[in-house]
Amino acid sequence: MINNYFLPTITICLLSTYLPTYLSTNKVVERLELNTLRSLKTHGGVDRALLSFDLHVDLTPAFHWNIKQLFVYVVASYATETNPTNKVVLWDKIVEAIDPPEAKILKEDNVFVEYALVDYTDELRGKEVELQLMWDFMPITGARFMDGQDESTTSKFRLPDTYR
């Protein structure tokens, strides 16, 4: 008799905790693209690029009763001969459920990177770089879930062949 009520109740609780997080990944990234390449230099034996970008995204659909906050970050990806896959976080922000609705809509232009695009193999010059918005769901209860901008909507740019 207890199993007739216990198992369905637990199932409903688990589904209501995990399912909304996995289904609420339809954020609309209107724009994430390079605004200005400020410099590309060798610095301490490594290549370092400093840049700014434009970011327009509505994160409102990601929030529901079980999301405490989102950890949102911009990743630059590029390939070199030494390392075929390179991913560098350039900027991050925490958006909380208790923030006002307008704080969940990011429309920021000419955002200077918090962390430089650095390549320790000195191979940044002339490389194509892809910018992608990623986010980690931080639930009130349950497992953390990561997601990101669809790769078909990311933006790319090419770094110059010479330092500047």
Side-chain angles (χ1 to χ4, degrees), residues 7-22:
L7 188 57
T9 302
I10 292 298
T11 303
I12 290 169
C13 288
L14 288 173
L15 285 176
S16 69
T17 299
Y18 293 106
L19 198 56
T21 302
Y22 294 107

Side-chain angles (χ1 to χ4, degrees), residues 115-146:
Y115 318 105
L117 175 55
V118 175
D119 183 76
Y120 291 99
T121 59
D122 208 26
E123 298 179 61
L124 266 182
R125 288 165 288 157
K127 296 299 182 258
E128 182 178 71
V129 178
E130 177 183 64
L131 295 178
Q132 184 177 20
L133 187 68
M134 305 291 293
W135 48 87
D136 295 353
F137 293 94
M138 305 292 181
I140 295 168
T141 183
R144 194 178 81 178
F145 178 69
M146 298 166 66

Side-chain angles (χ1 to χ4, degrees), residues 35 40 59 69 72 76 87 98 118 128 133 149 151 154:
N35 182 300
L40 174 61
L59 297 168
Q69 63 189 22
V72 183
K87 293 185 181 283
I98 61 171
V118 175
E128 182 178 71
L133 187 68
Q149 177 183 4
E151 288 193 30
T154 61

Side-chain angles (χ1 to χ4, degrees), residues 29-68:
V29 179
E30 294 175 27
R31 183 177 184 182
L32 173 58
E33 61 187 29
L34 175 71
N35 182 300
T36 306
L37 176 64
R38 305 219 178 158
S39 70
L40 174 61
K41 296 181 179 180
T42 183
H43 181 76
V46 300
D47 279 357
R48 183 181 76 173
L50 295 175
L51 54 102
S52 65
F53 58 88
D54 298 336
L55 174 62
H56 297 189
V57 61
D58 183 1
L59 297 168
T60 307
F63 287 92
H64 55 76
W65 72 269
N66 191 36
I67 297 298
K68 179 180 179 186

